[in-house]
């Protein structure tokens, strides 16, 4: 049985589907602060090789909540997504991030050790690298995060190394670049309140009641003046987690991998792709740079390809198409509340 923390959230829920497709039975642990019960209800209806065994509402900051899950179920491996992930908020309110992300994970690891569970796949981030010294960024690039969110994820990576040395806890840390897109069957998708990410914000502005899209900064030293990012499709990303899990099941040592496409797209290119796919002229307002945005972030993804045998397959167009289908569905569900 696989325990997925944060399985009601955007990336977690797509991973639950991938795990079930691969034949795993899953327990979801989520406090529903960011994740949605509607997502859980949808996941329950999906029939695949594996199944959603149970959803448990609980908080990682409460040790008994998480420890009781290990007591009740026979958990083999943990896939850990539960975390806050907004960069700007993390700088304004670091305490919130250190408690939830770091202390919450310490509780999770403590419960794992008490119950002799020694394998974990962890959702880390490109934000652990900070401003890049070189592009594309490989896994040997120094980790010097410039915001609290990235610092919390790096601290956890370091804690996991110490726990391996001392207790034999094996971890795979997956450092995501910019995750995009939605379930190709349009059952689930990205659903943040408030939404801060580029693609959903562009797409929301095409819908009735949506705010005009704001483009943050057109004077960067890049091909067209806007920031360049590496957009990795959420279903491709989920496949990497299944491979990481199998790697640990096969006795793999602690390791870490970038998950990206090796390609960068500028904000203007993403915007043009959205206009193209929606076949709409999208309203846009040019704004100042957003604080803390590096000009360019692109992953070197060779290591994941070589060691995990992973391959990213979907294009930016695929991600925008599925994200758009999902935004239309979400808007119908919550008409007027975009
Ligand atoms: N952007 C806009 N308008 C918007 C939203 C974003 O112009 O409404 C721009 C940003 O300024 C940036 C680019 O689009 O240049 C991408 O921004 P996102 O907020 O979509 O993504 P980030 O690159 O800031 O951050 C993402 C994750 C973080 C993670 C980081 C790691 O959200 O959690 O990647 O690189 F830390």
């Amino acid at each position: 049985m696989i325990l997925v923390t944060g399985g009601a959230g955007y990336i977690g829920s797509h991973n639950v589907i991938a795990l079930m497709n691969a034949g795993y039975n899953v327990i979801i642990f989520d406090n529903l602060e960011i994740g949605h019960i509607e997502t859980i209800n949808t996941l329950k209806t999906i029939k695949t090789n594996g199944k959603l065994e149970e959803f448990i509402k609980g908080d990682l900051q409460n040790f008994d909540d998480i420890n009781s899950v290990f007591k009740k179920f026979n958990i083999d491996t943990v896939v850990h997504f539960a975390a806050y992930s907004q960069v700007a908020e993390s700088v304004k309110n670091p305490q919130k991030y250190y408690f939830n992300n770091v202390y919450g994970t310490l509780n999770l690891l403590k419960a794992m050790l008490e119950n002799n569970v020694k394998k974990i796949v962890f959702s880390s981030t490109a934000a652990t690298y900070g401003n890049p010294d070189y592009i594309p960024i490989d896994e040997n690039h120094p980790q010097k995060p410039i915001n609290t969110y990235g610092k919390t994820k790096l601290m956890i990576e370091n804690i996991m190394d110490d726990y391996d040395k001392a207790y034999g806890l094996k971890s795979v840390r997956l450092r995501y670049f910019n995750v995009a897109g939605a379930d190709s069957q349009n059952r689930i998708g990205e659903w943040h309140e408030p939404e801060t990410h580029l693609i959903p914000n562009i797409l929301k502005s095409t819908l009735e009641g949506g705010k005009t899209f704001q483009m943050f900064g057109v004077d960067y030293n890049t091909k067209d003046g806007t920031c360049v990012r590496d957009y990795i499709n959420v279903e491709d990303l989920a496949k990497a987690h299944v491979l990481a899990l199998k790697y640990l099941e096969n006795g793999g040592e602690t390791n870490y991998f970038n998950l990206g496409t090796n390609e960068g797209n500028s904000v203007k290119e993403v915007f043009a792709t959205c206009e193209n796919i929606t076949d709409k002229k999208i309203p846009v307002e040019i704004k100042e740079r957003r604080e803390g945005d590096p000009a360019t972030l692109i992953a070197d993804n060779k290591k994941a390809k070589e060691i995990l045998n992973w391959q990213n397959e979907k294009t930016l167009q695929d991600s925008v198409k599925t994200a758009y289908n999902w935004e239309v569905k979400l808007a119908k569900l919550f008409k007027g509340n975009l």
Side-chain angles (χ1 to χ4, degrees), residues 125 127 149 178 196-198 201 213-214 216 227 229 290 293:
T125 171
Y149 167 64
N178 286 56
T196 59
H197 295 107
L198 178 65
N201 276 352
F213 167 65
Q214 302 191 320
F216 299 132
C227 289
R229 294 288 181 275
R290 192 173 67 177
D293 278 344

Side-chain angles (χ1 to χ4, degrees), residues 198 215 218 224-227 265-273 286:
L198 178 65
M215 190 179 279
V218 291
D224 60 19
T226 62
C227 289
N265 284 103
S266 72
V267 170
K268 280 189 179 164
E269 286 171 345
V270 173
F271 183 80
T273 306
I286 308 291

Side-chain angles (χ1 to χ4, degrees), residues 17 46 127 145 153 156 208 218 230 241:
I17 294 184
I46 294 175
K153 293 283 180 173
I156 298 165
E208 200 189 317
V218 291
D230 182 336
H241 290 70

Side-chain angles (χ1 to χ4, degrees), residues 5 12 25 27-28 71 114 175 192 199 202 269 306 316:
T5 73
N25 294 332
I27 308 279
I28 293 179
K71 297 270 175 258
E114 277 193 16
R175 298 177 186 153
H192 294 119
I199 294 174
I202 298 174
E269 286 171 345
E306 279 168 19
L316 176 65

Side-chain angles (χ1 to χ4, degrees), residues 99-307:
F99 268 85
N100 189 52
N101 294 8
V102 182
Y103 177 64
T105 303
L106 284 170
N107 275 336
L108 171 65
L109 298 179
K110 183 177 172 192
M112 286 175 67
L113 294 176
E114 277 193 16
N115 295 281
N116 207 28
V117 177
K118 300 241 171 123
K119 295 188 288 291
I120 183 165
V121 178
F122 174 58
S123 159
S124 187
T125 171
T128 60
Y129 293 118
N131 281 318
D133 297 340
Y134 56 86
I135 297 287
I137 301 171
D138 60 21
E139 289 83 354
N140 294 324
H141 187 287
Q143 286 179 293
K144 35 177 193 168
I146 54 165
N147 55 59
T148 304
Y149 167 64
K151 287 180 190 169
T152 65
K153 293 283 180 173
L154 178 57
M155 278 180 188
I156 298 165
E157 289 206 25
N158 292 334
I159 289 165
M160 287 176 169
D161 280 333
D162 288 350
Y163 281 28
D164 185 7
K165 282 189 203 103
Y167 314 122
L169 181 127
K170 302 294 171 199
S171 64
V172 172
R173 285 99 64 155
L174 299 174
R175 298 177 186 153
Y176 314 154
F177 282 66
N178 286 56
V179 187
D183 173 46
S184 36
Q185 295 182 44
N186 205 23
R187 296 166 292 195
I188 55 171
E190 187 162 9
W191 183 358
H192 294 119
E193 290 155 5
E195 187 51 75
T196 59
H197 295 107
L198 178 65
I199 294 174
N201 276 352
I202 298 174
L203 295 172
K204 278 182 200 300
S205 72
T206 69
L207 304 171
E208 200 189 317
K211 296 186 205 107
T212 300
F213 167 65
Q214 302 191 320
M215 190 179 279
F216 299 132
V218 291
D219 59 349
Y220 286 94
N221 184 18
T222 57
K223 48 187 161 186
D224 60 19
T226 62
C227 289
V228 171
R229 294 288 181 275
D230 182 336
Y231 293 90
I232 170 79
N233 178 271
V234 69
E235 289 185 325
D236 278 349
L237 187 96
K239 281 188 199 146
H241 290 70
V242 175
L243 293 169
L245 189 71
K246 291 190 190 296
Y247 165 92
L248 287 174
E249 284 176 347
N250 292 331
E253 287 298 324
T254 287
N255 218 329
Y256 41 87
F257 303 94
N258 286 340
L259 294 181
T261 67
N262 259 55
E263 276 170 41
N265 284 103
S266 72
V267 170
K268 280 189 179 164
E269 286 171 345
V270 173
F271 183 80
T273 306
C274 290
E275 286 202 319
N276 202 289
I277 288 197
T278 60
D279 202 17
K280 288 186 174 163
K281 181 99 196 80
I282 302 178
V284 52
E285 206 182 324
I286 308 291
K287 304 292 279 189
E288 291 297 292
R289 291 179 177 197
R290 192 173 67 177
E291 209 184 322
D293 278 344
T296 303
L297 290 173
I298 301 173
D300 180 328
N301 65 7
K302 267 194 232 76
K303 191 178 171 192
K305 286 180 173 167
E306 279 168 19
I307 297 181

Side-chain angles (χ1 to χ4, degrees), residues 83-91 93-103 148-149 152:
Y84 293 139
S85 63
Q86 285 189 37
V87 170
E89 183 192 51
S90 78
V91 177
N93 194 353
Q95 179 169 256
K96 180 173 169 181
Y97 276 68
Y98 286 117
F99 268 85
N100 189 52
N101 294 8
V102 182
Y103 177 64
T148 304
Y149 167 64
T152 65

